[in-house]
Amino acid sequence: MSSDITGRVNRRTLLTVVGGSGIAGLSGCVGFGGDGEGGDGGDGSGSDDGDGSGSDDGNGGSDDGGPDTIVFGQPGAQTGSFDFLQPGVSQAADAAVRHINEAGGPLGAELELVRRDTAVDPQEARTVTTQLVENDDAAAIVGLFSSEINPLWDFLQDLQTPVVTPWPGSTFLDTRGGDKGTPDDVSDDEWVWRTVVGDTVHTGGSAVYALEEGFETLGIINGNTEGERSYVDGFLSVYEENGGTVAERVEVELGSSSYQSALSRLFDAEFDAFLVSMPQESAITALSDWSDGGYGRQPILSDTLAQQAVIDQVGSDLHGAWAASPGRSGPSYDTFESIYLEEGDAEINGWTPPSWDAVQVTALAIERAGEATPEAIQRNLGPVSRGEGTTVSTFAEGKEALANGEEITYEGAATPVDFTEHGNVFGSVTISTAEEGGFVETTEVPAEDVREYVAEGEY
Amino acid sequence: MGLLQELIFGLVTGSYIAIAAIGFTLIYGIVNMINFAYGEYLTLGAFIGFLAANALPGPLPVAVVAAMIGGGIVSIVLARGFFTPINNTGPVPMLLTSIGLGIALRNAIRLVGGRSARYFETETSTFRFDAIPDLAVGPVDLLGGVFVTSEHLIVIGSAVAVFVAIHALLTRTDVGIAMRAMGDDESLARVRGIDTQLIRDSVWVLAGVLAGLAGVLMAVQTNVSADTGFSHILQILSAAILGGAGSPYGAILGAYVIGIVLAVSTAFLPSSMTGLSSAAAFVILIAVLLVKPSGIAGTEVREA
């Protein structure tokens, strides 16, 4: 007969094994900063060390009384639904840091970038942002997604550290953020700026293009997260205002094993084209189901879906689908591209040039301010980006002009980076169409055309 | 499309869940623990299958078999390492250990496997049956043209094969009969001379094999990533509880109820609520448990 006790194990041994395993597991959750998620081609001069060590001497003094090191914190999507976009964003930030340091650094200090993974999880983003500010002494934050900023809005305002981010498209930020046109008065400021055009702008461009192409009735399938809803809302605000109608809208949970039921419901309606706004992995499942079901009609994709992997997995049925993305060709794009390509081989995506711009404009704000405090950066982001000063396309040019006593206006790689009173930027919209070899840029909707559809003061 | 098409979609979703839920509920019924790490068993199965598909010659079924064998080995190794030593501490310590193990495995997979989703290279054929006439009852069409894909047929076929094999195992083999005996009364089974540890090990292997199969099937439909199994663990758990925790037949029934409710609710809920189809499935779960706490199949719900 078998014994009741199936195997005697020393209690201390068991606890040691379980505890050790728990610690090993949790270490994966907590992460080891950027190095732990390395291999993204983004560990160049930006010192992707994420271990907080870089800030030790942040308050030290250089020969001229300024800091030896200035730290920017970069919450990143090194894991999670948008991790495929992070390599380009990391490489752009690292290239910008290297360029700035080669030009002498802001206030003569060494600029250091500390990157930590949030997995685009709001709670993790709150922890990471706190660590960056409190432990790493980051003077500014050059990251955070819509899905993180919106629920953490009050927290970020209380933090009073400027967030200059290349990620968020959310319409939530259309009238939130920036210096409200009064750079010297921070009492009315909101501490978020974005160097990427908002959903209102590029979804507006997408909507304008859809109407121009004769797609007057639309079906919509979107994920049930803030980012996906915001994209669709931005699209519809322009689309419906200009005569378009929505026949059916289906909202789905992300990560499902099948979207056939949602698709069958959607395609029961009559429409000319359908808009897909979902993260890449869920979108591939949904579009594969769409292809298998032979539903047909014209797909319009959200900006994050203009990726080779989407075509590879869905197949030739997707050819002809198009996506509108923030334009990549700001006034200083060529300058950015040449420096970027020296840094590594990560693919450039719609958020790559804005990442470069975020680091550049923040460093210029420090240079103009003459100090690297969060409030000084906040006061100077507006003045270095808008106005009638000398046009500069890099930190090096800006540092030289400021040293000559000139005012400057930074012209970016993604957009002209003329921050509106709400900390937003306008830029062109690129239409990319899926073809055999990938997404090919087919049309560009100029920033001026899109601007017509955005009310003054509402962005 | 009509209700018939939605039922087909529900059957496919239910089949994924059912294969996994059988393994989950066997562990519950015989080892007497809720294994929250079971989602990661599916993920490991998906990764093993993916590696096998790229490393081994031959068609996808070879990778499926490799995933099932690998899943069984992983399951027994993990059980021997983490659960067998605490068999006698009761269900709560084992539950907590499984939660910790799940977190550890998920992050280990993420660290080792990387962050990118991977995809099986498969070709899908679609079969249409457009000649089926409409049968409208009010605004709902009960019949109408339907389609099924080769993936649908493989998933449903795999599930049916698993059901037959599990039924045969539980009713026709000594090991299966011993499993049922242990599920009813472990002490009595031991008195009758059953080697309970051997049966436990058999259950762990069987649950791992099923997790490997379910993991590959889910990954073929979606992708292979660190969250492949974890994203379905609530549905698997719900199916097991809905059907009657510990009962494989109940788990099958519960899985199809959840699959069909997910499909039908997406199709017929108001537009603004379609993103809440999972919530509809859980409402059904709560409603059933309020009326029949032991679940549909009526198996005793153990303490946990």
Side-chain angles (χ1 to χ4, degrees):
Chain A
M1 184 184 296
S2 303
S3 164
D4 262 349
I5 299 171
T6 51
R8 284 191 180 278
V9 172
N10 180 286
R11 182 168 166 270
R12 186 181 298 274
T13 305
L14 173 63
L15 288 173
T16 304
V17 171
V18 172
S21 306
I23 290 167
L26 286 174
S27 67
C29 297
V30 174
F32 297 99
D35 284 343
E37 306 295 340
D40 60 358
D43 58 353
S45 63
S47 71
D48 198 12
D49 53 8
D51 60 4
S53 62
S55 61
D56 290 347
D57 55 357
N59 295 323
S62 64
D63 292 344
D64 58 1
D68 288 335
T69 305
I70 294 170
V71 176
F72 287 175
Q74 186 171 58
Q78 290 164 307
T79 59
S81 301
F82 295 99
D83 56 8
F84 63 99
L85 297 171
Q86 185 66 41
V89 167
S90 295
Q91 185 172 312
D94 293 340
V97 168
R98 180 169 59 84
H99 163 78
I100 289 165
N101 285 330
E102 286 173 359
L107 309 179
E110 179 85 5
L111 181 60
E112 195 168 314
L113 191 72
V114 177
R115 182 174 300 125
R116 292 179 183 274
D117 183 25
T118 70
V120 202
D121 172 63
Q123 198 53 46
E124 188 65 15
R126 183 184 180 119
T127 304
V128 161
T129 307
T130 303
Q131 286 173 334
L132 289 168
V133 172
E134 301 291 339
N135 300 350
D136 303 324
D137 285 341
I141 300 295
V142 289
L144 290 179
F145 281 75
S146 298
S147 306
E148 298 166 331
I149 291 174
N150 299 7
L152 298 180
W153 181 256
D154 290 339
F155 161 75
L156 293 173
Q157 302 316 303
D158 293 341
L159 201 62
Q160 300 215 328
T161 299
V163 176
V164 188
T165 170
W167 289 115
S170 173
T171 53
F172 177 86
L173 294 176
D174 282 2
T175 54
R176 293 179 175 86
D179 60 10
K180 307 306 172 194
T182 56
D184 291 332
D185 177 14
V186 294
S187 65
D188 61 350
D189 282 18
E190 291 168 319
W191 296 74
V192 177
W193 308 70
R194 56 179 168 184
T195 51
V196 67
V197 295
D199 286 347
T200 298
V201 173
H202 68 90
T203 57
S206 183
V208 169
Y209 184 72
L211 289 167
E212 285 175 358
E213 292 292 299
F215 301 124
E216 293 177 349
T217 310
L218 204 66
I220 297 170
I221 180 167
N222 65 275
N224 59 353
T225 61
E226 174 63 27
E228 275 66 46
R229 285 182 183 138
S230 168
Y231 187 92
V232 172
D233 291 344
F235 185 101
L236 291 182
S237 67
V238 173
Y239 186 74
E240 292 183 317
E241 206 167 277
N242 291 277
T245 56
V246 176
E248 178 67 284
R249 178 175 178 175
V250 180
E251 197 164 275
V252 295
E253 287 178 276
L254 303 177
S256 295
S257 58
S258 170
Y259 292 99
Q260 287 288 13
S261 294
L263 290 169
S264 76
R265 175 181 181 137
L266 180 67
F267 283 87
D268 276 346
E270 291 296 324
F271 49 79
D272 303 319
F274 66 103
L275 175 65
V276 182
S277 177
M278 302 165 81
Q280 183 175 301
E281 289 168 14
S282 295
I284 286 175
T285 304
L287 288 166
S288 297
D289 285 347
W290 163 76
S291 175
D292 292 345
Y295 293 104
R297 292 183 243 188
Q298 171 67 43
I300 302 172
L301 309 178
S302 61
D303 46 353
T304 55
L305 299 180
Q307 303 288 327
Q308 179 67 48
V310 179
I311 301 177
D312 291 344
Q313 297 307 319
V314 178
S316 59
D317 285 347
L318 199 64
H319 292 171
W322 52 265
S325 310
R328 303 180 187 183
S329 49
S332 64
Y333 183 85
D334 292 342
T335 306
F336 148 76
E337 190 178 31
S338 64
I339 299 171
Y340 177 84
L341 293 176
E342 291 172 11
E343 189 69 27
D345 56 3
E347 187 181 351
I348 295 177
N349 59 58
W351 292 263
T352 306
S355 176
W356 163 273
D357 288 341
V359 176
Q360 293 281 336
V361 76
T362 309
L364 285 169
I366 293 173
E367 191 69 24
R368 183 180 186 273
E371 56 179 317
T373 62
E375 185 174 323
I377 297 170
Q378 177 77 6
R379 285 180 193 277
N380 285 276
L381 281 166
V384 299
S385 63
R386 54 172 99 104
E388 303 299 324
T390 302
T391 299
V392 299
S393 58
T394 62
F395 174 82
E397 293 175 18
K399 185 179 176 76
E400 186 179 346
L402 287 166
N404 293 333
E406 301 167 21
E407 285 294 341
I408 60 168
T409 178
Y410 172 68
E411 296 280 278
T415 71
V417 194
D418 293 330
F419 281 127
T420 68
E421 62 189 282
H422 300 302
N424 296 319
V425 293
F426 276 99
S428 61
V429 175
T430 300
I431 306 294
S432 304
T433 305
E435 295 179 5
E436 182 71 36
F439 277 88
V440 177
E441 294 182 9
T442 45
T443 309
E444 182 135 320
V445 182
E448 305 77 51
D449 289 4
V450 182
R451 202 161 190 152
E452 285 177 27
Y453 297 99
V454 182
E456 190 75 27
E458 293 297 312
Y459 180 77
Chain B
M1 288 181 180
L3 185 62
L4 180 60
Q5 181 71 79
E6 302 303 335
L7 291 176
I8 291 171
F9 295 152
L11 285 177
V12 175
T13 304
S15 297
Y16 289 119
I17 301 170
I19 295 170
I22 292 170
F24 181 90
T25 208
L26 282 173
I27 295 172
Y28 180 87
I30 295 167
V31 184
N32 194 22
M33 69 168 287
I34 294 176
N35 184 11
F36 267 104
Y38 197 65
E40 279 61 51
Y41 289 29
L42 269 68
T43 305
L44 286 168
F47 268 95
I48 293 168
F50 181 79
L51 292 173
N54 287 290
L56 299 176
L60 187 63
V62 175
V64 173
V65 171
M68 293 169 72
I69 294 170
I73 293 170
V74 165
S75 179
I76 187 64
V77 168
L78 290 173
R80 280 291 186 172
F82 294 94
F83 299 125
T84 303
I86 56 171
N87 259 348
N88 301 300
T89 58
V92 173
M94 294 181 80
L95 167 73
L96 295 176
T97 303
S98 77
I99 292 172
L101 178 63
I103 294 170
L105 284 176
R106 192 158 59 256
N107 286 286
I109 294 167
R110 193 170 281 143
L111 286 173
V112 175
R115 58 187 185 229
S116 301
R118 295 164 171 81
Y119 296 88
F120 281 92
E121 296 294 333
T122 55
E123 293 290 332
T124 305
S125 303
T126 302
F127 308 99
R128 298 191 169 279
F129 303 92
D130 294 329
I132 299 174
D134 293 343
L135 179 60
V137 176
V140 179
D141 182 8
L142 297 181
L143 296 176
V146 298
F147 72 88
V148 291
T149 68
S150 50
E151 275 183 12
H152 293 167
L153 295 174
I154 288 169
V155 171
I156 293 173
S158 300
V160 171
V162 165
F163 304 157
V164 171
I166 289 292
H167 178 71
L169 175 79
L170 292 177
T171 58
R172 300 272 188 271
T173 68
D174 290 344
V175 171
I177 292 167
M179 284 179 184
R180 287 162 56 205
M182 265 188 75
D184 282 344
D185 190 325
E186 184 175 340
S187 298
L188 190 56
R190 192 177 302 111
V191 167
R192 294 286 297 163
I194 293 172
D195 183 346
T196 54
Q197 185 55 47
L198 177 66
I199 299 303
R200 277 203 185 91
D201 288 348
S202 305
V203 168
W204 281 114
V205 171
L206 179 58
V209 167
L210 293 174
L213 175 61
V216 172
L217 291 176
M218 284 177 182
V220 168
Q221 170 65 18
T222 57
N223 57 61
V224 184
S225 72
D227 292 327
T228 297
F230 179 68
S231 57
H232 294 91
I233 188 65
L234 276 182
Q235 291 175 350
I236 295 166
L237 174 68
S238 303
I241 294 173
L242 180 61
S247 162
Y249 304 107
I252 295 168
L253 195 56
Y256 283 112
V257 169
I258 285 182
I260 290 170
V261 168
L262 282 172
V264 172
S265 60
T266 302
F268 297 110
L269 278 174
S271 290
S272 59
M273 297 172 67
T274 50
L276 302 174
S277 56
S278 281
F282 289 114
V283 167
I284 298 288
L285 171 67
I286 293 167
V288 168
L289 292 184
L290 283 174
V291 176
K292 200 164 184 292
S294 58
I296 296 172
T299 304
E300 175 196 0
V301 176
R302 293 181 174 218
E303 290 179 13

